[in-house]
Amino acid sequence: MTLLNWRAAKHYDHSGDKPCVLCGASTPLRSDNGTPVHKVCAENWLNAHPVRPGLDGEAA
């Protein structure tokens, strides 16, 4: 199971909650690229969509 380390301050947006792109509930959390998403939603999505070597930009 993938567990993300979101301890860095960049993962918390003090300007307010926005809807999570995966579940729709409000969250102050942000992904590495600034997308509003709960940590657990992101972890569940990553586990359901594993990187496939050679197909997802990874070296084969």
Side-chain angles (χ1 to χ4, degrees):
M1 176 168 191
T2 301
L3 295 176
L4 299 171
N5 178 351
W6 280 13
R7 292 183 181 150
K10 70 178 183 176
H11 291 291
Y12 188 86
D13 187 349
H14 293 279
S15 67
D17 291 359
K18 292 187 179 175
C20 173
V21 297
L22 296 174
C23 77
S26 62
T27 181
L29 299 176
R30 304 294 183 263
S31 68
D32 284 343
N33 67 5
T35 302
V37 64
H38 295 104
K39 179 180 177 283
V40 75
C41 289
E43 291 168 343
N44 288 337
W45 188 91
L46 287 170
N47 286 318
H49 301 88
V51 173
R52 298 168 294 169
L55 297 176
D56 293 322
E58 293 288 316

